[in-house]
Structures are given as C-alpha cells and as structure tokens.
Amino acid sequence: MVGTVKKDKAMWHRLVEPMGFLFGPMAQEAIRQGVALPFQNSTAAFTAVLLIEGDSASGPVPVGAVPHAWLPVMQRLVSPVPDAGLPAGPLVMGILNTTPDSFSCAGQHYHAGSALQAAEQMVRDGAGVLDIGGESTRPGAAVVSPQQEWERVGPVLEGLRQSMPDVPLSVDTRNSLVMERALAAGARVINDVSALGHDPAALPLLAKQQCGVVLMHMRGTPQTMEQHTHYTDVACDVVRELGQRVEAAVEAGIARERLMVDPGFGFAKTQEQNVVLLRRILLLANLGCRVVCALSRKRMIGTLTGVADPAQRDSGTVAASLMAMPFGNPLLRVHAVASMAQGVRVWQGVQGG
C-alpha cells in the first residue's frame, strides 16, 4: 500500500491547467492555425496553460511553447475521455432522493409512488440519467443501515426498471450491500460519495461488474467532513486526491474506462474553497475521466445569491453548472431538470458551433 501511494503521488505531481478557451468555429480556426489545441470531447479549444509542479505554477504558457518534457501531461487535456457506459455528450442527471432528511426536497420522494411520478417527469423534462439515493449525506446527517437504505431505494429502482427500461439508472450509495442489490436490479451506475473508500467490500465487488462508477472527493465522513477543510491549493489537492482514488480503483480491477469523477462541492470545503474549485473545474481534465458536476441547490449557491431556501436556488444552479460544459460530456446532477436541460441547449446553441 505504501508503494502504491508513492506511485500515485508521483503520477499527479505534475498537472496542466488549460486557459484561454475558444468555442465553435473560432476554436476550429485557432486549431487549424496551430495556436490552440482541442479540449477532450468538446468543440472547445485552449490557447494557453499553467504548468503546475508540486506547489509551484508557471505563468500562462502558449500551447506552442510548452516544454517537450511536459507534452505527455498535456496529452491528458487533448485526449477524448470514455463515456463510462452512458450516452455521449452532456447529460442532465436528475436527483431522486428517497430520504426523509435530505437538505433539499426532504421527504418529497420518500414514498415509492411519488418518487416514480417525479422520475417520469424528470425524463420528460430532459434527464438523460437518474440518480437514486437512500441516505442523506448533508453535513451531520444521521447514519442509516445498508438494509434500511435498500428498503428506501429498492422499490423505486425496481419500479423504474419496469416503467422506463431504457433510462440509465444510477444509485447513490457507499455501501456494498446496496451496490450489489442495485446492480442486480438493473442499475447501470454506482455513485459513491466516499470514492469507494467507505466499505472495504466495494472495490472487489465493482471489479467484477461492468457498471459505470462515480468517485466523489470527500475527506472524512458526512458527520466529520467540516473538520477537514485545510488545503494547500484546493483545486490541485482535490485533483490529486481524486487521482489516487482513480488509481486505487484501477489497481483493484475496475477498468479506467468505467470511471467518472466528482469534485465534491460542499464536501469538506469552505465557501471560498467551493468558489475556487468551481472557477478551476477544468483542472479535472488531468484525470482523463468523465466529470460529474453536482452543485444543485447547495449552500454555496445560497451564499453567492443570498437565497436561503434551497428550493429557490435553481437559477443559480444552472449558472454554476454550465461552468462544466467545456468538457463536452459532463453529467450535470440537479433537482430541477427542465431548467438545466434548457440551459444546456442554450449553451450548445451559442458555444457548441
């Protein structure tokens, strides 16, 4: 294990941060002229980078002037990332919490009937994937047993599999018992807020499956995470710590092509750190995985807008979530699907070319 940690740290010692973005026809012309490079799965291009080594960063460097020794790291930004078994392009991921105590819409979908109705509306509104959760992970949330979690999630998952067999379903859980039962019931994605670090049985279980896997960044647990907010550089630290979880999953036998990453907004981050992390979200391109952006109705949106009621933060959620669109194939995890889907269409119409 010690050797693995050293290897992982060395792998992510160097990071490249893309800058100077162009979109649509302008991006294609800049690529043709050799003054920009294509960015992963998108129609965007970047013209400059910051070269980050350890705790030190260069000033902006034009893409044509990057030293030869950095070209393998630069390749991370250019290479397309796998779709992790989901439809290509940007996807709106509808949140379906079956908990009585989530920070937003608490208890609204606690009963299977209301959850199924809400899910069907989300799909009509443009959701490309649904994420079902049975355990609240808000700060200080009460812990529930895996069996209790499954009793909340199971009926909804099984009902959706019957009523909407073609819609990809994700289950938001950190417990292997729920993972195993959910996959047997037809889930295509496991979304783990602990990046497969909570339950020792999760890694070997998922290594035997073919599902997509979301690794989210969090320090501590939902009960203790607010005590773990010291970072040297929050954006670089999150990317490097997620990188170590990516390598742990690959070493355990989970194909890299199945992995997605979520920077964990609101989990072990202060308001200021959340803002910096969002501003620099494209640094996640270094990991070579599809990105999940989960900002919906969070406290950071409320603080930025002065809106205390989480249910009234959907406009801010759309604005913040669109920061991930340059990736080309992000998953935008939201409560209000219709407004997010509309925002994606406008962004594509203007910037997608």
Side-chain angles (χ1 to χ4, degrees):
M1 181 64 69
V2 174
T4 300
V5 171
K6 287 183 178 178
K7 179 186 72 174
D8 291 344
K9 286 185 176 179
M11 178 177 294
W12 306 111
H13 183 69
R14 282 186 167 182
L15 301 173
V16 178
E17 186 163 4
M19 304 174 64
F21 272 78
L22 301 170
F23 299 93
M26 190 177 295
Q28 300 309 308
E29 179 61 20
I31 293 169
R32 189 186 67 78
Q33 293 185 16
V35 296
L37 293 173
F39 187 62
Q40 292 196 335
N41 297 56
S42 71
T43 59
F46 59 101
T47 60
V49 294
L50 296 182
L51 305 177
I52 303 168
E53 188 153 17
D55 297 333
S56 301
S58 70
V61 179
V63 293
V66 173
H68 187 270
W70 282 81
L71 295 184
V73 187
M74 286 283 292
Q75 192 62 34
R76 300 172 185 168
L77 307 186
V78 177
S79 300
V81 303
D83 288 325
L86 293 172
L91 289 181
V92 178
M93 174 184 263
I95 299 171
L96 198 63
N97 286 324
T98 63
T99 59
D101 60 342
S102 60
F103 83 96
S104 177
C105 64
Q108 187 175 345
H109 307 138
Y110 186 50
H111 299 289
S114 62
L116 291 172
Q117 289 178 2
E120 291 167 358
Q121 184 62 52
M122 287 180 184
V123 172
R124 286 194 293 270
D125 289 341
V129 58
L130 299 174
D131 191 40
I132 309 161
E135 178 189 27
S136 175
T137 52
R138 61 180 173 79
V143 177
V144 300
S145 71
Q147 180 60 38
Q148 187 177 3
E149 183 185 353
W150 175 248
E151 288 170 358
R152 296 172 176 178
V153 169
V156 177
L157 176 60
E158 291 165 0
L160 289 174
R161 204 51 306 132
Q162 293 178 16
S163 64
M164 295 184 287
D166 297 328
V167 176
L169 300 179
S170 166
V171 171
D172 181 358
T173 182
R174 53 187 179 148
N175 293 306
S176 61
L177 179 145
V178 179
M179 294 177 189
E180 186 170 23
R181 292 183 180 179
L183 293 170
R188 287 173 53 180
V189 175
I190 295 297
N191 180 8
D192 186 350
V193 298
S194 76
L196 305 183
H198 171 74
D199 187 335
L203 278 168
L205 168 69
L206 296 182
K208 299 175 183 176
Q209 305 290 333
Q210 298 300 318
C211 61
V213 179
V214 179
L215 305 175
M216 195 197 79
H217 180 273
M218 176 175 63
R219 291 175 172 180
T221 68
Q223 292 72 39
T224 66
M225 60 186 176
E226 293 184 329
Q227 304 167 26
H228 300 282
T229 58
H230 176 74
Y231 297 88
T232 302
D233 177 320
V234 66
C236 291
D237 291 353
V238 166
V239 169
R240 287 174 173 140
E241 290 171 22
L242 269 176
Q244 291 184 38
R245 296 311 302 162
V246 167
E247 297 310 318
V250 171
E251 190 167 294
I254 301 174
R256 191 179 298 269
E257 292 74 20
R258 295 166 49 197
L259 297 175
M260 294 170 271
V261 292
D262 178 343
F265 291 104
F267 289 81
K269 286 108 182 160
T270 65
Q271 173 69 15
E272 294 75 17
Q273 290 165 350
N274 283 315
V275 170
V276 170
L277 187 57
L278 180 57
R279 185 184 302 138
R280 300 176 64 192
I281 190 172
L282 300 182
L283 191 63
L284 287 165
N286 284 265
L287 299 178
C289 297
R290 198 168 190 174
V291 171
V292 177
C293 186
L295 287 156
S296 189
R297 299 180 177 175
K298 290 195 172 180
R299 185 187 304 171
M300 68 173 290
I301 306 294
T303 302
L304 288 170
T305 60
V307 176
D309 181 1
Q312 300 302 313
R313 298 173 184 165
D314 292 328
S315 297
T317 296
V318 172
S321 300
L322 290 176
M323 295 284 286
M325 283 296 289
F327 285 113
N329 66 346
L331 272 67
L332 308 177
R333 185 178 182 273
V334 297
H335 296 85
V337 168
S339 57
M340 190 71 251
Q342 188 175 102
V344 168
R345 288 193 293 270
V346 170
W347 196 97
Q348 288 177 309
V350 175
Q351 301 283 52

